[in-house]
Amino acid sequence: MSHAIRDLAPGDRPAAWQRALSETFVDLEVTVDQDRDQGRPWTGELTAQRLGALQIATEESGPGTVLRSARAVAADPRTHILVRRQLTGTALLLQDGRTAELSPGRTAFHDARRPFRIVFPERQRARILMVPRAVLRLEERHLHALTATVVDEAEGGAAALLLPLLDGLVDEVGRAGPVRREQLARAAAEILATVALDQAGRPPEPALWERITASLRTRLGEPGLTPRDIADQHAISLRYLHLLFQRHGTTVGAWLRTRRLEAAREELARPGSAHLPIAAVAARWGFTSPSHFSRAFRETYGLSPAQWRRTAAENAPGTRPGPPNLSDDGRIEPMARATMEHV
């Protein structure tokens, strides 16, 4: 089945596109944005084939919006699950109070049983797989949690292994004979079910960020801690770990350095730690080089560790600083140097 909305008069194209999408998927309402389509008349193209329980479609269109309204849900008995895998351009999928920002390589599930909206800010192309909800073998509460969440192979987990395989299977469907096509379609449906199960059980990104950073706060004193250690602990790919920190405006190394300096600064200001050499405090919080710690501390806070300790002691209520064991530049005086040398 193929629909090409390019030979019609421009005014007839939105209605024709709406009919094509509604016949292929579920009842939908369509609006198109003629003005932003890079000065060209709006066009759309849709090809689809059904193989048993699985339907595979490729959709290309100019900017606009697709809406599955509450009225359409009530009037249309189809309750399939649709899986949108973005190939070019971008799309915003909104359902169940969430928004999935889809760029090439990203995938999201949406449920025809409830309203959804897809916004195309630019010309785009996507592959849409449609299956009966029973194929995914998920409880309704898990399906509800799955919709409009981004599945990205860069995030690791099952998606990193299975989405490229799914692409290969779908591409092979177009080249295979009838019997082989049915086999490939069944395999593709199983892959979709596995990806859905993995995604439904994956913590949402805010929860994952909180889990990772909470764990890291307990490991600040490990000088050999690496991004690979962190990624393995939380069962995500190294690439996704770096991407997660990038989305929060930092890097793994910078985040660790900042938290370690904060912890050391707090300990240096604590009266109960006044007897500890600065090198011992630095080592406790993951700094293997006292000189590197002193430089990093001064760059961050504008004072050497010794100056900060003395200032904190002078400002502490009811306390008077004793004679310092450290010089203003953080070097250990003779009385304490032996302690530092074996840290």
Side-chain angles (χ1 to χ4, degrees), residues 205-221:
E205 186 173 292
L208 181 61
W209 170 257
E210 293 299 330
R211 190 179 72 186
I212 290 174
T213 53
S215 172
L216 287 181
R217 290 180 189 278
T218 70
R219 303 184 67 184
L220 294 177

Side-chain angles (χ1 to χ4, degrees), residues 250-263:
T250 186
T251 65
V252 178
W255 191 95
L256 284 171
R257 179 179 181 271
T258 298
R259 302 292 90 75
R260 284 167 168 162
L261 285 170
E262 289 173 350

Side-chain angles (χ1 to χ4, degrees), residues 2-294:
S2 178
H3 300 270
I5 313 298
R6 65 166 64 94
D7 299 326
L8 300 175
D12 296 333
R13 294 178 186 182
W17 187 240
Q18 179 169 307
R19 285 194 300 272
L21 293 180
S22 298
E23 291 171 4
T24 304
F25 302 115
V26 293
D27 285 353
L28 298 167
E29 299 173 19
V30 172
T31 58
V32 303
D33 189 337
Q34 307 274 6
D35 296 332
R36 289 187 299 175
D37 194 16
Q38 301 177 5
R40 299 176 295 178
W42 187 95
T43 60
E45 185 169 348
L46 177 68
T47 60
Q49 57 181 321
R50 184 175 294 280
L51 302 164
L54 176 68
Q55 177 176 276
I56 302 171
T58 301
E59 167 210 287
E60 181 174 355
S61 70
T65 300
V66 171
L67 172 67
R68 171 76 162 166
S69 66
R71 181 176 58 184
V73 170
D76 180 3
R78 289 173 289 182
T79 60
H80 290 67
I81 302 296
L82 296 94
V83 187
R84 184 179 193 86
R85 184 144 171 79
Q86 202 66 31
L87 301 177
T88 65
T90 58
L92 300 175
L93 169 61
L94 299 86
Q95 189 171 41
D96 297 327
R98 294 182 291 270
T99 301
E101 299 182 12
L102 299 178
S103 54
R106 289 183 147 199
T107 301
F109 291 74
H110 44 304
D111 187 349
R113 180 174 282 181
R114 294 187 301 282
F116 62 80
R117 181 188 301 270
I118 310 175
V119 180
F120 309 118
E122 60 185 344
R123 186 160 196 85
Q124 58 81 41
R125 184 169 178 266
R127 176 172 288 149
I128 300 101
L129 308 180
M130 188 170 78
V131 293
R133 57 201 313 107
V135 168
L136 299 187
R137 302 189 296 274
L138 289 175
E139 297 178 11
E140 286 299 318
R141 62 188 178 93
H142 291 142
L143 277 174
H144 195 283
L146 175 66
T147 54
T149 62
V150 173
V151 186
D152 192 336
E153 57 197 78
E155 298 180 5
L161 298 174
L162 295 180
L163 288 178
L165 179 58
L166 179 64
D167 290 340
L169 284 173
V170 173
D171 289 340
E172 185 63 25
V173 165
R175 299 187 290 265
V179 175
R180 182 63 174 156
R181 280 202 299 269
E182 295 289 341
Q183 295 172 337
L184 292 171
R186 286 195 295 271
E190 284 298 315
I191 288 176
L192 278 181
T194 303
V195 171
L197 182 63
D198 177 72
Q199 184 72 5
R202 181 184 290 270
E205 186 173 292
L208 181 61
W209 170 257
E210 293 299 330
R211 190 179 72 186
I212 290 174
T213 53
S215 172
L216 287 181
R217 290 180 189 278
T218 70
R219 303 184 67 184
L220 294 177
E222 300 179 29
L225 183 61
T226 67
R228 171 58 67 187
D229 296 331
I230 301 166
D232 290 346
Q233 178 187 358
H234 296 278
I236 60 176
S237 70
L238 185 61
R239 180 182 174 189
Y240 182 53
L241 177 73
H242 288 304
L243 181 62
L244 188 62
F245 276 78
Q246 180 183 335
R247 288 174 181 168
H248 285 80
T250 186
T251 65
V252 178
W255 191 95
L256 284 171
R257 179 179 181 271
T258 298
R259 302 292 90 75
R260 284 167 168 162
L261 285 170
E262 289 173 350
R265 181 175 183 265
E266 181 178 341
E267 183 160 355
L268 287 169
R270 193 178 302 133
S273 300
H275 66 288
L276 292 174
I278 287 177
V281 174
R284 176 176 294 182
W285 296 108
F287 291 94
T288 57
S289 167
S291 60
H292 170 69
F293 168 69
S294 291

